[in-house]
């Protein structure tokens, strides 16, 4: 099993202290989190893309470009690239450039995106958002694979023998499809034989597990080898401590502050108590053995081989969050790494195809 640390770059007051960091400091915190993730041995670091408050992750390519310059080993993920809002040609140019700058360490997780404000910003409607996502991905995929692209489009000017530069480093890049609630994204992933990443952060496991099962059915429907399936899954929070009592005590102020925020904002409350949150959500809160057991229970439902954790403290103190990640990597991660398979592909860069030479042509 592989492990990612992911941030959506939420920028709002700390749920416990009420203090909001300046924007500059928040970005610096993201870079520090990426360096910590590499230091601790995480396999990937992901940055979200949102175009509305309270997020400041509107430019993930810029953030990941800086992370690429600071790191050497860790793979870089988008979480997610909102293709329904973007011109696929411009998205291709940005990510092909980042692919080179990161030496082929880039993975994409794509999705339609959530939030009415960002839809309004880009003049996208709920009725056409799925169609935009599918069309943008088709164009993006062709651009990545073909030197010249001709495609009729509904949502941007059509392309005729279009050449877009630079050509990418990885041929092809690995694209995951983010899935939260809809079968459309699941079917799109299965149709193209791409891996799936379940959000798995808001509700109990059942609806997410149902979508993963549907993905497996559609994968076989499209004639792909079941052995090539790869599924990732998210988590709703993390706090690992030496004992369950210590973990609960550390996380309780975070849970109670978030619960109060949801109620004040009129948002639906799924988990009324911390104990229910720990039991039925995807959060990893408890002793190392409790967290190991929960990862295995979720694996029985998802069959996932990649798991993402929160890169941000999200209300925990910085020292408590770092200690939690350190304990996870030293006491928890080695067990699923040993007992749960890795994804069925090489984790390192997908190396570029060497150009043909006269010698190779005559071999």
């Amino acid at each position: 099993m592989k492990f990612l640390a992911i941030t959506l770059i939420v920028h709002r007051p700390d749920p416990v202290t009420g203090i909001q960091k300046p924007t500059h400091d928040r970005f610096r915190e993201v870079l520090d989190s990426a360096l910590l993730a590499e230091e601790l041995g995480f396999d990937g670091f992901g940055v979200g893309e949102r175009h509305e408050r309270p997020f400041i992750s509107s430019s993930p390519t810029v953030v990941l470009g800086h992370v690429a310059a600071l790191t050497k080993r860790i793979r870089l993920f988008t979480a997610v690239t909102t293709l329904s809002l973007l011109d696929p040609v411009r998205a291709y140019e940005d990510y092909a450039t980042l692919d080179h700058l990161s030496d082929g360490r880039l993975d994409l997780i794509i999705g339609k995106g959530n939030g009415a404000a960002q839809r309004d910003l880009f003049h996208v409607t709920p009725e056409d958002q799925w169609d935009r996502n599918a069309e943008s991905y088709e164009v993006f995929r062709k651009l990545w694979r073909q030197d010249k692209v001709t495609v009729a489009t509904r949502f941007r000017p059509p392309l005729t023998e279009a050449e877009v530069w630079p050509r990418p480093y990885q041929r092809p890049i690995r694209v995951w499809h983010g899935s939260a609630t809809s079968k459309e994204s699941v079917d799109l992933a299965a149709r193209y034989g791409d891996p799936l990443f379940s959000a798995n952060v808001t509700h109990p496991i059942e609806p997410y597990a149902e979508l993963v099962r549907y993905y497996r059915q559609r994968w076989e429907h499209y004639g792909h080898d079941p052995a090539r399936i790869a599924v990732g899954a998210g988590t709703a929070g993390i706090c690992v401590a030496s004992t369950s009592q210590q973990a609960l005590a550390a996380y309780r102020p975070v849970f109670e502050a978030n619960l109060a925020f949801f109620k004040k904002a009129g948002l639906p409350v799924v988990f009324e108590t911390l104990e229910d949150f720990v039991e039925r959500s995807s959060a990893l809160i408890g002793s190392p053995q409790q967290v190991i057991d929960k990862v295995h229970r979720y694996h029985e439902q998802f069959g996932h081989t990649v798991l993402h954790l929160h890169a941000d403290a999200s209300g925990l103190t910085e020292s408590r969050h770092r200690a939690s990640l350190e304990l996870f990597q030293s006491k928890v991660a080695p067990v699923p790494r040993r007992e749960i398979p890795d994804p069925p592909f090489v984790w390192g860069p997908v190396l570029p195809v060497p150009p043909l030479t006269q010698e190779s042509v005559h071999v």
Side-chain angles (χ1 to χ4, degrees):
M1 176 170 267
K2 300 293 187 182
F3 298 98
L4 316 180
I6 284 182
T7 177
L8 302 183
I9 323 187
V10 177
H11 189 228
R12 64 181 179 91
D14 182 284
V16 176
T17 67
I19 298 172
Q20 180 167 332
K21 295 182 178 180
T23 300
H24 179 84
D25 294 352
R26 183 68 182 95
F27 279 124
R28 182 68 251 178
E29 189 175 58
V30 171
L31 300 178
D32 291 342
S33 293
L35 290 170
L36 177 62
E38 179 160 89
E39 175 190 334
L40 294 181
F42 279 86
D43 302 291
F45 184 80
V47 173
E49 179 182 336
R50 297 292 289 268
H51 299 270
E52 59 186 345
R53 67 172 72 177
F55 306 94
I56 53 173
S57 51
S58 58
S59 187
T61 49
V62 176
V63 177
L64 286 172
H66 198 153
V67 172
L70 295 175
T71 58
K72 299 296 184 184
R73 175 196 58 79
I74 200 165
R75 286 199 69 78
L76 308 177
F77 282 73
T78 62
V80 300
T81 296
T82 53
L83 277 182
S84 69
L85 308 179
L86 306 177
D87 182 324
V89 175
R90 192 71 184 95
Y92 164 81
E93 291 172 334
D94 285 344
Y95 284 111
T97 301
L98 179 55
D99 191 35
H100 282 279
L101 294 177
S102 65
D103 293 326
R105 288 187 284 144
L106 179 64
D107 274 44
L108 296 182
I109 307 175
I110 68 164
K112 71 170 180 62
N114 294 313
Q118 62 181 10
R119 281 200 304 267
D120 293 342
L121 187 65
F122 289 92
H123 296 278
V124 173
T125 68
E127 291 75 24
D128 69 20
Q129 195 165 12
W130 285 114
D131 291 339
R132 286 177 178 272
N133 185 66
E135 177 182 291
S136 291
Y137 181 51
E138 179 184 357
V139 174
F140 184 94
R141 184 182 175 89
K142 287 179 181 294
L143 289 170
W144 204 280
R145 286 165 168 76
Q146 301 173 18
D147 291 337
K148 293 184 178 182
V149 170
T150 297
V151 59
T153 52
R154 290 175 54 200
F155 301 107
R156 60 147 288 124
L159 300 174
T160 303
E161 290 294 290
E163 297 182 62
V164 188
W165 300 93
R167 302 311 301 150
Y169 184 80
Q170 298 181 92
R171 299 283 189 96
I173 193 171
R174 189 159 45 242
V175 177
W176 303 69
H177 294 248
S179 166
T181 60
S182 174
K183 289 185 175 181
E184 283 90 341
S185 57
V186 169
D187 187 81
L188 188 65
R191 186 190 320 163
Y192 284 108
D194 293 332
L196 183 76
F197 217 109
S198 172
N200 188 38
V201 296
T202 307
H203 299 283
I205 190 173
E206 288 78 13
Y208 303 110
E210 182 179 349
L211 283 175
V212 172
R213 289 192 292 270
Y214 180 71
Y215 169 67
R216 294 180 183 277
Q217 293 168 7
R218 299 305 290 171
W219 180 277
E220 295 196 33
H221 168 80
Y222 288 115
H224 302 304
D225 181 358
R228 301 299 301 169
I229 281 180
V231 175
T235 56
I238 180 168
C239 184
V240 188
S242 298
T243 67
S244 60
Q245 292 83 0
Q246 290 174 338
L248 288 171
Y251 202 83
R252 191 173 298 279
V254 178
F255 175 82
E256 291 178 348
N258 286 330
L259 181 63
F261 173 80
F262 293 152
K263 290 182 176 179
K264 182 178 180 180
L267 299 173
V269 173
V270 180
F271 307 101
E272 290 280 359
T273 67
L274 174 60
E275 288 70 22
D276 187 36
F277 180 68
V278 171
E279 177 63 27
R280 295 195 302 123
S281 82
S282 59
L284 302 178
I285 300 170
S287 68
Q289 188 58 53
Q290 287 174 314
V291 172
I292 289 169
D293 292 343
K294 191 166 189 178
V295 170
H296 277 82
R297 287 201 309 273
Y298 270 60
H299 176 71
E300 290 173 2
Q301 295 292 321
F302 284 163
H304 59 303
T305 53
V306 180
L307 182 69
H308 89 52
L309 309 176
H310 286 200
D312 302 316
S314 302
L316 295 173
T317 64
E318 294 296 330
S319 61
R320 175 65 265 172
H321 181 57
R322 179 177 180 123
S324 178
L325 294 181
E326 289 176 342
L327 197 56
F328 180 89
Q329 284 290 52
S330 63
K331 299 296 184 181
V332 176
V335 178
R337 284 189 189 278
R338 182 174 64 249
E339 297 178 354
I340 296 175
D342 283 342
F345 41 69
V346 175
W347 191 255
V350 179
L351 298 179
V353 178
L356 288 176
T357 64
Q358 286 296 322
E359 292 77 8
S360 64
V361 168
H362 292 294
V363 170

